[in-house]
Structures are given as structure tokens and as C-alpha cells.
Amino acid sequence: MDQNNKFLSGVYYDLYHKKISKTGDRPKTDPDGSSGPKTGSGGSEQLESELKSIIDEFYSKEGISNPQENETKPFTPEEIKAEIEKLVGLNNIKEDIEALMDFVKIQKLRQKHGLKGSQIVLHTAFIGNPGTGKTTVARLMGEYFKALGVLKKGHLVEVTRSDLVGQYVGATAEKTNRVIDKALDGILFIDEAYALATGDDKDFGKEAINILVDRMEKDRERLAVFLAGYEDNMKVFLESNPGLASRVSRKFYFRDYTGAELLQIFQLLMDKNQYEMSDECLKVMEKYFCYLYDTRDSNFGNGRVVRNTFERLVKCQADRLAEENEVTVDMLKTFTIEDIEKAVPVKDIIVTSDKLDSVMNELDQYIGLKNIKEHIKSLVNMIKTNQKREELGLPVKQLTYHAIFCGSPGTGKTTIARILGRIYQTLGVLKKGHVVEVDRSGLVAGYVGQTEEKTNKVIDKAIDGILFIDEAYALIGGGNDFGRHAIDTILKRMDDDRGRLIVIAAGYTGKMREFINSNPGLRDRFSWTFEFKDYTEKELMEIFLLFAQKQHYVLSDEAVRVLSEHFQNVCRHRDEHFGNGRYVRNLFEKVVMEQSSRIGANIENVKQDELSVITEDDVSRALLLM
């Protein structure tokens, strides 16, 4: 028999046998048939005293230490306050908690002196992104409430919608009440609480809310309800039920961790798990976390992102050490720059002095586009000059980079947009510099209100990069056309997200003029116009030869002659819809197809060098298909 069972058996024996033998009486039976010591007026205190005496005597006789003597003392308010202060960041939350606890202390003191105190209602909304420490803070607040005598237990019961809402009539009431009963004298923490109000009128989530509101009032002295979730969703949720809004008047806003705070959390994780890295590596990690903070969206994971990053580093270190013949303790403890570069995309984030030169050299390699290249170089010099003036404390005119790309299809507009994104990223104008390509269909919906939502989602993806709208003039419609709603949404976001979004609108030259003139706001916001000219016959030939070179094809002299004559004719007769580079790519693919058909008929006897030769006949047959 273990000590716990031995203890219980001994106490039971003493209560119902040993004490009886001293008095010579059996326990009296109550009218309801129960028996045992009386617990009426004065009886409960006597019974408690006798029970304590028996317990102490039993522990002494058996040589067992009383567990209550070994229990750690409960935390004092000062100790819990110190733990809260140790949390990384959350300065506004720490101030809010202290203000709440000061209020609680004063009300308890007034009650102690017989004065009327204000009602202490502990229900609170925890508003913020994931990973911002909401659950950790809730646990510490529970301990704080317990230490101050506001809640007897101060424990935390953490739930989501699935723990409260049932699948059939009557199940939700049972589940919700059972969870609340479990949380009495402590805190009920409902994560993503807004999910309770996402269904229709028949959804059982509404029933859970009504029960919750009722119990928040009835059990307000024994229960604290913390409702957690994203800011926008929580605002709608609290407004969905007047009773809920009136009972949760206190709101704690959990701000996203800054880059420096994310690094602190990372260092704490390393210390806890006995890892370390050099100061040089820590500087790289700081740049990475600052980048994550600067480019965050409304779903940023905060501490969770740090934990995921740490776990990737552990895996990369393990993969590296697995290749070593001998592994020392220091090696097991240390993260290297190699681990970091494999775990996170630091090379894409950290701008080095040669990165801009590399991108500009790549721009120079593109065929044609002379005026575009000169335009971009002028823009780069202007940005660098402004940055130097700002560095020296001189006044700087803020530049806007929204641009119109005018020209026929296939003149390199999308390619140049991607190059510009990388240039802006290396110069610090954009944090990411990625390009999100859309046309009218990606922005406009068929019902009222959907276009704004659809457009905003696309823009959210383009934040810290470029939104490239191809055939932008298609957004102009009649008076009731939803394309105008997309334009209005884009214009608003160009202002709201100034510094984090660049919009490039592209299309035929004439139609883009109509687009710009259709709305005064468009004229005001697009500062730059890039004119993409059609490729010359010589440039078209160069593009074809470049395609061939990349895929290791060689053209015969006669094939070159036939192509040159063809491109001369094309340039003489082309219209505004001519595909330029796209036309050349399509022609090249057809030439390769014809070459494959020619040699495929006798593939067993074909020599290696013949696999790469494009002949006059290959080109001529391909031209018949264009």
C-alpha cells in the first residue's frame, strides 16, 4: 500500500473507530439515515480541529512528513509583479496590469475598513496578433489575483470555440457550463473568441455567447473571462452582443514585438536550450528579425516566428554536425553563419555594397530598352543623392515611385518591373521588392462589396513590393462598373501604405493615357512614365539568337538570312498589337518543333552535332505556322 492510501486508511480508522472506543458510543444516525460526526453550529469547527489532530498524530506515528509542511509558499504580489516585469517588451501591458492591480488593492482595502468599494469586474479583452504573450500574461495575472485574494485559485482554463460549442441542440449549454464550472475561482481564457460569432443565426456559437454573458454576471466574483483575438475581429465580436460589450469594458492591446524584442526572445530561447552564437551571427539575426518586423502583416506570428526560426536553426546545425567525424561539446552548443544562411533567407534580405551593381549589370544585359535603362539609372542616382542629403541632415523631397508602363505587348514591361523591385530593395526603398502581377479579373468581382475585398487582398500580398496591373485601362467601365471601385480602393491604399507599396500600371500607350485621364487621383499619384518602344528588326534577331544560345542551338547562315528578312517584313507591317519579344519566343518554339520533326524521322542515325543545328528549312516551315 502506498503512503497516500495508507494515510487515508489510517485517518478513516481513527475517525470512525478509535474516537468511538474512547467515548464508548457509536456515531448517531441522522433522521435521513446518514451517520458520522455532526457539522452543525459549532460542530464543523470541532470536527476540523479533531481531524487536524488525528492527521498530525498519524503522520507522527508513521514517520511520514506532512505534505502541507513541504509545500512551497504561495507567490507574493511583489514576486508576481517581478515576473511580469521580466517579460520581453509589452510595456503598455505591464502598465495596464499594474493599474488594474492598484485598483484591486484599493478596493480590497476599502472593504477591509468597512467602506463601500467599487465592484471589481475582472473580465478583459486581450487584443493582438498571435505569439504576443497573451496566454503567458493571463497565467501570471491569475497568480496575481490569487495573491491579492481576489480569486481563490487563480488557475487558467484555456479553450477555443470547439470546447464550448456542441453539434446538436442542448450540447452547447452542457459543454459551455461545464467549462465555466471548471474555471470558477480562476480565469477562463477563450482564444480566437470571435469564432463564436462567425456562424448564421442558427449557429450554436450564439448560444455559447449567451450562456457566457449570463455566467459572467452571475459568477462575476468567482470568475474572470479573458477573450483573446485579432483586433478587427474582436471589435466586431464585442459589438455583436450588447451584454458582452458591457461586461468586457477593459481591453489590453498586445503590440507586435519589435525586431530588437524578437532578438531578445531568440536569445532567451538559446540560453534556455544551451546554445550560443558569435556577436557577428547575432548581428545577422538582428537584421533578420528587424526585417520580419518591418514586413509583417496582420497575421504576424511574433514569438511563434522566433520559435520556428530557432527550430530551423537546430535542424540545420544537426544536419551540419552529422557530416563531422568528431563532434565536441562546443560544436554542439554553437550556431554558425552557415546554419543561419541555410535556416533563413538572409542573403536576400541583407543588402551588400555589390548587390546594386549586380542588378544594374543584369539590366544592361537585356537587349534594347535603351531609353528605359537610362530612365532607371537616372532614378537610381536621384534616390542615392536623396539618401546622401538625408544622411547629411539636408532637406529632402519625398519621392513617389508609382509608375505608368506604356507600350505594346512583349516589350519587357513585366521583366523591368521585377528588375525595379530588386533595385528598390537594394536601395532600401522597399523591404521585399517582390512583384505581384494582376489584371482586371484579379481585382474586380461581380457583386457589391466584393471588389473592394478582392482588391485589398491582392494589395496585402504586394505590401513591401510592387503591384503590377497589366492592361490597367480595363478597370475603366461604365457608371456602374465595379472596376471603378477597384481604382478607388487602389488609390486609397496608395496613400495609406505610402512607403510600403509601389503600383505600376501597364498597357498600350493610347489606352493608358485614357486610363490616367479618367480619374484626377490617378494623375496625381503616378509620377513616372516609362515608354517601352517596339523592338527593331536587329533587336528581334538578337533576341532569337539569345533564345537559341541558351538552349545550345546553332543557326546555319541560310537560317539566319531567312530570319533577318522575316523580321524586316514584320517591322514594316506590324501594328500596335504586335507581340515583340513574345512573337520571337513563339517563333523560336515553332522552329525547334520543326527541327525536332526533321531529325526525329531518322533519330537512330543522327550525330550529336546535328541535334543542335537549325536549318533554313526548319525556319521556313515554322514561318508557315505563324
Side-chain angles (χ1 to χ4, degrees), residues 265-275 307 310:
I265 296 170
F266 177 76
Q267 288 178 288
L268 289 172
L269 265 178
M270 282 204 302
D271 291 343
K272 181 180 178 181
N273 292 278
Q274 295 181 297
Y275 285 92
R307 185 172 63 248
F310 176 77

Side-chain angles (χ1 to χ4, degrees), residues 148-173:
L148 292 173
V150 178
L151 294 173
K152 288 183 180 179
K153 297 179 181 177
H155 63 299
L156 185 74
V157 176
E158 188 176 357
V159 296
T160 60
R161 173 191 163 96
S162 62
D163 300 301
L164 301 172
V165 179
Q167 300 300 313
Y168 53 87
V169 175
T172 295

Side-chain angles (χ1 to χ4, degrees), residues 168-202:
Y168 53 87
V169 175
T172 295
E174 182 182 350
K175 287 183 78 171
T176 303
N177 279 309
R178 186 166 60 242
V179 166
I180 294 173
D181 289 342
K182 187 179 177 182
L184 285 177
D185 299 314
I187 295 172
L188 176 62
F189 184 93
I190 308 177
D191 200 13
E192 297 181 357
Y194 50 83
L196 292 172
T198 54
D200 56 25
D201 292 337
K202 296 180 181 179

Side-chain angles (χ1 to χ4, degrees), residues 232-516:
D232 291 343
N233 293 338
M234 288 300 294
K235 181 180 179 181
V236 174
F237 172 60
L238 292 173
E239 291 174 352
S240 69
N241 188 303
L244 195 61
S246 64
R247 285 166 178 77
V248 185
S249 56
R250 186 181 302 105
K251 298 177 180 67
F252 284 3
Y253 288 90
F254 287 74
R255 297 169 185 161
D256 290 328
Y257 290 113
T258 64
E261 290 167 348
L262 293 171
L263 181 66
Q264 278 184 266
I265 296 170
F266 177 76
Q267 288 178 288
L268 289 172
L269 265 178
M270 282 204 302
D271 291 343
K272 181 180 178 181
N273 292 278
Q274 295 181 297
Y275 285 92
E276 58 188 30
M277 62 172 57
S278 66
D279 290 342
E280 180 185 355
C281 288
L282 279 174
K283 288 178 182 177
V284 173
M285 292 306 300
E286 183 178 15
K287 289 180 180 179
Y288 174 66
F289 288 128
C290 286
Y291 168 81
L292 291 181
Y293 175 76
D294 290 339
T295 59
R296 72 195 187 284
D297 57 20
S298 59
N299 300 311
F300 182 53
N302 289 281
R304 297 177 191 176
V305 172
V306 178
R307 185 172 63 248
N308 292 340
T309 301
F310 176 77
E311 289 171 357
R312 287 200 301 272
L313 274 169
V314 170
K315 182 182 181 302
C316 290
Q317 189 226 41
D319 291 343
R320 174 175 56 82
L321 294 181
E323 303 297 323
E324 299 287 343
N325 293 325
E326 294 185 13
V327 179
T328 65
V329 174
D330 284 342
M331 291 168 69
L332 288 169
K333 291 165 54 180
T334 305
F335 290 132
T336 66
I337 192 66
E338 179 185 347
D339 300 329
I340 295 171
E341 289 176 349
K342 286 184 177 179
V344 296
V346 290
K347 287 185 177 179
D348 296 331
I349 295 164
I350 298 173
V351 178
T352 56
S353 57
D354 61 340
K355 196 169 182 179
L356 178 61
D357 293 337
S358 175
V359 180
M360 295 302 289
N361 287 336
E362 185 179 333
L363 174 66
D364 284 333
Q365 299 306 311
Y366 284 101
I367 293 168
L369 305 174
K370 182 180 177 182
N371 65 312
I372 300 297
K373 293 173 184 176
E374 291 174 353
H375 196 155
I376 291 174
K377 288 174 183 176
S378 296
L379 181 59
V380 168
N381 288 334
M382 185 181 298
I383 293 170
K384 290 165 74 174
T385 301
N386 267 9
Q387 290 175 340
K388 191 65 177 178
R389 286 179 61 87
E390 190 172 15
E391 184 183 321
L392 296 174
L394 297 171
V396 175
K397 184 181 184 299
Q398 290 298 317
L399 295 176
T400 57
Y401 303 96
H402 309 302
I404 298 295
F405 279 17
C406 296
S408 299
T411 45
K413 294 188 289 293
T414 308
T415 299
I416 292 301
R418 294 193 188 108
I419 287 282
L420 269 178
R422 292 166 60 196
I423 288 172
Y424 289 145
Q425 192 268 336
T426 60
L427 289 169
V429 174
L430 293 171
K431 292 292 182 181
K432 293 181 179 178
H434 63 299
V435 177
V436 175
E437 300 173 45
V438 293
D439 55 15
R440 175 188 166 95
S441 65
L443 300 170
V444 179
Y447 301 96
V448 174
Q450 289 184 326
T451 293
E452 292 86 346
E453 181 182 356
K454 194 173 183 180
T455 303
N456 275 314
K457 284 183 179 178
V458 171
I459 294 173
D460 289 341
K461 292 179 183 177
I463 288 295
D464 296 309
I466 293 174
L467 176 64
F468 183 88
I469 309 172
D470 199 15
E471 298 181 356
Y473 48 80
L475 294 173
I476 305 171
N480 296 322
D481 185 77
F482 292 127
R484 295 188 178 275
H485 295 182
I487 292 174
D488 291 340
T489 303
I490 292 166
L491 290 174
K492 183 177 185 303
R493 292 293 298 272
M494 287 167 78
D495 287 335
D496 293 348
D497 297 300
R498 190 185 300 108
R500 296 192 67 187
L501 176 70
I502 293 175
V503 177
I504 294 177
Y508 294 107
T509 302
K511 291 184 178 180
M512 288 307 294
R513 289 197 184 100
E514 293 177 15
F515 171 70
I516 287 296

Side-chain angles (χ1 to χ4, degrees), residues 85-98:
E85 286 298 324
K86 290 179 185 177
L87 296 174
V88 175
L90 304 176
N91 292 332
N92 64 309
I93 298 298
K94 293 171 184 176
E95 292 174 2
D96 290 341
I97 292 172
E98 197 53 35

